[in-house]
Amino acid sequence: MVSVSRSALPEARPIPVRALLTRLEFERDILPAYKPVVIRNLVSHWPVVHAAQDSDEAVAAWLRAHANDQPLETFSGSPEIGGRFFYDDTLTGTNFERGQAALVEILDRLLGYRDDPKAPSLYAGAAVADGCVPAFANTHVLPLLDPRAMARLWVGNAVTVSTHYDLSDNIACVAAGRRRFTLFPPDQVRNLYVGPLDFTLAGQPVSLVSVKDPDLERFPRFAEAMSHAVTADLGPGDAIYIPPLWWHQVEALSPFNLLVNYWWNAAGAPPSPFEAMIHSVMTVRPLPPAHRDAWRAMFEHYVFEADGDPAAHIPVQSPGVLGRMTPTLARRIREFLAAGLRRG
């Protein structure tokens, strides 16, 4: 492998920082801009953040006092993976093992690993707080979102979550430890060398490039991606807003870390566009180039509305599938699509 250090690549720019952000300002200014923003001290009032100012043991003690024995999914890997949960060399397996453990057991293992230079990599992620720490939501309020937004816990040691995207809006709050976020705009998908779409590490496709140690001989366009990258280091109490489809790597920098994130759909919860893309891979991608160009024009017109409302000339009482999306229309479209798949 011919690799280069980060110093040989373009430097990622700092993510803009805000502080004292109100919910009104967040909804009015941040969400429509569709760009990541760091929000310093957003959750500095949280009990676990206060505990983090004391010690890792204090954070673990607070969680233990309120946790139940619900099993959480864990990822664990040998010291040789360097904290990077990833594929095996064939991209048909992984370099880590999945397991289950209660939060209290995970905390004990992490505290025990801290001073061991050959400790395994371990984390549990996306654990619904209401399920494993029932008191969390009531005692840790996120002022920018509806109180019904669901908190999820991510606890682990110095591990790296490979560059991926989320389908939903995301606010991630560092409660203990330090984390480095490196983000790429959605249009950099062409330069990130994304792995399999249907066999993923934890749900979403990931980039095959190591941000810390990129192989530019194998992945030469990644240098261009880095010229568009933005980054920030967050400590306890800090938060980051990540818009949907922004690619992001999350690197935990401490031997004991707690992150709390919230996913939500600002535009509602339609069926995933990802499935639509996969269907297009099956139906459009195999066509001759001229035919694909013709379908690109159809998509631009009907889906992306490059020419304005494609139903503007149709009587308002009969727009068909081009009408305003409602639950009834969505159900009708799903039935139409299901019938087509059955015919295939």
Side-chain angles (χ1 to χ4, degrees):
M1 181 181 80
V2 178
S3 63
V4 300
S5 67
R6 287 183 61 92
S7 62
L9 290 171
E11 287 290 330
R13 301 182 307 280
I15 298 173
V17 176
R18 293 285 298 267
L20 302 176
L21 190 66
T22 68
R23 181 173 174 180
L24 174 62
E25 291 169 329
F26 178 69
E27 294 176 348
R28 183 192 64 200
D29 303 332
I30 304 302
L31 288 180
Y34 192 62
K35 292 183 178 180
V37 174
V38 169
I39 310 164
R40 296 292 184 196
N41 298 312
L42 177 66
V43 294
S44 57
H45 60 287
W46 280 3
V48 289
V49 174
H50 285 295
Q53 307 302 334
D54 185 5
S55 65
D56 298 339
E57 285 80 3
V59 176
W62 192 97
L63 292 171
R64 280 198 200 96
H66 298 87
N68 56 30
D69 58 359
Q70 173 181 297
L72 308 181
E73 182 180 30
T74 60
F75 286 17
S76 60
S78 68
E80 287 71 28
I81 73 172
R84 186 187 184 214
F85 294 105
F86 200 62
Y87 293 102
D88 63 15
D89 292 339
T90 67
L91 300 189
T92 59
T94 64
N95 67 357
F96 59 89
E97 294 183 355
R98 287 180 167 86
Q100 288 194 330
L103 179 58
V104 170
E105 178 186 343
I106 296 167
L107 295 169
D108 289 343
R109 290 166 63 184
L110 290 171
L111 291 176
Y113 289 161
R114 282 181 305 171
D115 299 323
D116 183 357
K118 295 184 178 180
S121 299
L122 173 66
Y123 94 103
V128 177
D130 283 349
C132 59
V133 187
F136 192 90
N138 290 335
T139 54
H140 295 75
V141 176
L142 185 67
L144 297 188
L145 299 182
D146 188 297
R148 293 171 295 182
M150 186 180 297
R152 296 177 183 269
L153 308 183
W154 306 71
V155 59
N157 50 13
V159 302
T160 298
V161 176
S162 295
T163 306
H164 66 288
Y165 66 86
D166 295 317
L167 292 170
S168 303
D169 293 87
N170 183 13
I171 291 181
C173 308
V174 174
R178 298 193 64 82
R179 298 212 180 209
R180 176 170 297 148
F181 291 79
T182 304
L183 280 69
F184 303 88
D187 63 4
Q188 289 308 301
V189 61
R190 64 175 67 93
N191 298 319
L192 291 175
Y193 298 91
V194 178
L197 300 182
D198 54 342
F199 174 57
T200 64
L201 303 179
Q204 303 297 352
V206 303
S207 169
L208 299 181
V209 187
S210 167
V211 174
K212 293 177 64 176
D213 188 25
D215 181 352
L216 290 187
E217 183 175 77
R218 182 181 177 191
F219 307 118
R221 296 196 307 273
F222 182 70
E224 175 65 17
M226 279 303 301
S227 72
H228 298 272
V230 292
T231 189
D233 286 6
L234 275 62
D238 295 335
I240 182 172
Y241 166 64
I242 303 175
L245 298 184
W246 273 73
W247 295 85
H248 52 285
Q249 175 188 275
V250 185
E251 181 183 0
L253 304 175
S254 308
F256 182 90
N257 296 272
L258 173 64
L259 181 82
V260 183
N261 94 299
Y262 301 79
W263 285 311
W264 79 100
N265 288 296
S272 170
F274 181 78
E275 278 77 19
M277 186 184 75
I278 295 299
H279 189 262
S280 297
V281 168
M282 178 180 69
T283 58
V284 178
R285 189 179 180 218
L287 297 175
H291 295 200
R292 288 204 306 267
D293 287 342
W295 278 109
R296 181 181 291 112
M298 297 279 271
F299 274 67
E300 288 286 345
H301 181 71
Y302 284 106
V303 178
F304 300 106
E305 298 186 337
D307 311 300
D309 180 3
H313 60 287
I314 299 175
V316 294
Q317 67 271 22
S318 55
V321 299
L322 297 177
R324 182 177 64 85
M325 191 57 58
T326 64
T328 299
L329 179 56
R331 184 168 58 252
R332 176 182 164 192
I333 293 174
R334 281 194 293 268
E335 291 170 352
F336 175 84
L337 294 174
L341 290 172
R342 286 194 296 270
R343 288 195 300 271

